[in-house]
Amino acid sequence: MDDNERSNGYSPLEAAIYGNSFRALHLSAQSTGFRTHGFRHRSLSHANDLRIAEDFLINTRYLRYDRETETSIQSYFMDPGVTILSNLGREEKAGIAEIRIPEGVRLRRELGDVLARRRSSRSYTGDPIDLKFLATIIRSAGAVTGYGNVDLMSGGQATIRFRSAPSGGGLYPIDIYVASLKINGLERGLYRYDPLDDTLLQAGDRHDVDRLVGAFAIPEEIVSLSRANAIFALVGHPWRSMRKYGNRGLRFLFMEAGAIAENIHLATGALGFGSVDCASVHEDEAHTAMHIDGLYQTLLHTVLLGYPG
Ligand SMILES: Cc1cc2nc3c(=O)[nH]c(=O)nc-3n(C[C@H](O)[C@H](O)[C@H](O)COP(=O)(O)O)c2cc1C
């Protein structure tokens, strides 16, 4: 029975009173305080919420005739842009403890075999792992593996370095951090890999590692973080890509984090260790632990590594 049928037989005043006091309850994301993501999805047709993720997808598409983006990209083929590329990763390191990492071990297992066996591994024995194995995994994630010389318009050449994981525009906007938990030869601490010098730079002490571990939201029965050997934390510099590609550049950071993470998994698997991606981390807490601001340097992803057990 609808409003009109109900009001039959009533005076206009009574009908108006009835009409004004009747209010259909439309269950929607707007009329509800606590909203699960599934509920938001079901009520999309009558919700008026901010749609940040979809706005991101729409506003980061590559459009034809976007002269601002085209010009920004072109500038990276001119001398100043090439110079930026050739200087990537160069930084002042005065006062930062620098740790040489040893030669690694060769990855001998056949790729097809590694791929076929790759599976997330969440249970670890807690036995320590030697630094030489971690060194191999770090280098697989992001070492400099090649060089290219580019002729400058003004004369001379600039050298550009390439790394083990691909990167949009060769901008390498992701830093690889490693928290050493149980690594023979590497004190418990937080380190940032420097691909140019192939060293680890001290980025935090054991207390920072405790804070980083505390930022994870995973029950021990699901992932035995307390017995993991290392945490890889991939930290992006969004503006390094966005300066060239605009907001679209942020897409590249997520893609590149995936490529680096997969390199970590494949190297880990080839060595017989276990690893798992872990998105269950409270980023704000991790940023505090890692002494980064969360915007100009922001945690993109983490991978845990351990002796499978
Ligand atoms: C982006 C991403 C985030 C993930 N986050 C978690 C996580 O927080 N906790 C977890 O136990 N597994 C996590 N995983 C692992 C997936 O659960 C796993 O890859 C999936 O179940 C498929 O299983 P497989 O990796 O063994 O093939 C994540 C995987 C990806 C790619």
Side-chain angles (χ1 to χ4, degrees):
M1 189 187 294
D2 65 21
D3 282 7
N4 290 334
E5 286 169 341
R6 271 191 184 282
S7 63
N8 279 349
Y10 294 101
S11 71
L13 182 60
E14 285 171 323
I17 291 169
Y18 174 78
N20 282 339
S21 56
F22 176 85
R23 189 141 179 246
L25 175 65
H26 288 297
L27 261 186
S28 74
Q30 283 302 87
S31 64
T32 314
F34 181 83
R35 311 160 195 178
T36 62
H37 302 310
F39 178 61
R40 279 178 206 272
H41 182 234
R42 281 196 302 280
S43 50
L44 271 182
S45 56
H46 40 265
N48 206 11
D49 284 0
L50 289 176
R51 292 170 72 166
I52 294 169
E54 287 154 301
D55 283 346
F56 171 76
L57 288 177
I58 291 167
N59 289 296
T60 56
R61 293 174 184 167
Y62 193 28
L63 302 177
R64 275 189 200 283
Y65 314 119
D66 174 355
R67 301 293 183 227
E68 288 187 358
T69 298
E70 285 167 13
T71 308
S72 304
I73 291 175
Q74 272 164 15
S75 71
Y76 280 77
F77 294 94
M78 319 267 195
D79 283 3
V82 173
T83 308
I84 287 177
L85 294 181
S86 69
N87 283 316
L88 281 177
R90 266 190 219 292
E91 58 188 284
E92 182 54 62
K93 293 192 283 189
I96 302 176
E98 194 165 2
I99 294 126
R100 300 238 142 255
I101 50 178
E103 210 172 301
V105 294
R106 278 187 75 80
L107 296 173
R108 293 181 192 280
R109 197 175 278 183
E110 200 239 327
L111 179 60
D113 187 38
V114 176
L115 285 169
R117 286 165 184 262
R118 190 214 60 79
R119 200 90 296 144
S120 295
S121 163
R122 300 177 176 82
S123 172
Y124 314 117
T125 63
D127 294 320
I129 287 177
D130 284 347
L131 180 55
K132 64 181 178 186
F133 294 111
L134 185 70
T136 301
I137 300 169
I138 292 173
R139 291 187 180 116
S140 305
V144 171
T145 49
Y147 297 87
N149 289 324
V150 181
D151 292 329
L152 293 170
M153 292 170 186
S154 53
Q157 286 193 322
T159 302
I160 293 183
R161 294 165 190 78
F162 300 102
R163 303 186 192 177
S164 44
S167 172
L171 291 167
Y172 303 104
I174 299 181
D175 282 339
I176 297 166
Y177 283 70
V178 184
S180 170
L181 306 174
K182 291 179 182 66
I183 303 290
N184 279 336
L186 188 63
E187 220 175 276
R188 189 176 173 93
L190 184 64
Y191 305 91
R192 179 164 53 87
Y193 179 57
D194 175 356
L196 266 59
D197 288 338
D198 192 37
T199 56
L200 290 175
L201 304 172
Q202 187 88 44
D205 59 19
R206 55 176 54 247
H207 303 296
D208 296 317
V209 171
D210 293 344
R211 285 184 203 108
L212 180 62
V213 168
F216 282 85
I218 36 175
E220 188 65 22
E221 351 25 300
I222 294 181
V223 181
S224 56
L225 180 55
S226 72
R227 278 176 283 174
N229 295 75
I231 301 171
F232 280 87
L234 308 183
V235 172
H237 297 246
W239 274 103
R240 199 179 295 172
S241 293
M242 286 161 59
R243 186 181 181 280
K244 180 174 180 183
Y245 299 109
N247 289 327
R248 180 177 175 72
L250 190 55
R251 286 181 182 238
F252 298 176
L253 269 82
F254 296 131
M255 295 180 213
E256 292 177 33
I260 295 171
E262 187 65 1
N263 279 10
I264 294 172
H265 292 311
L266 295 179
T268 301
L271 293 170
F273 300 122
S275 57
V276 63
D277 296 282
C278 198
S280 309
V281 57
H282 297 293
E283 281 90 354
D284 286 341
E285 295 173 26
H287 292 148
T288 303
M290 299 174 77
H291 310 285
I292 55 177
D293 66 14
L295 274 182
Y296 290 96
Q297 294 179 79
T298 188
L299 181 65
L300 297 169
H301 195 35
T302 68
V303 179
L304 311 184
L305 160 77
Y307 234 113

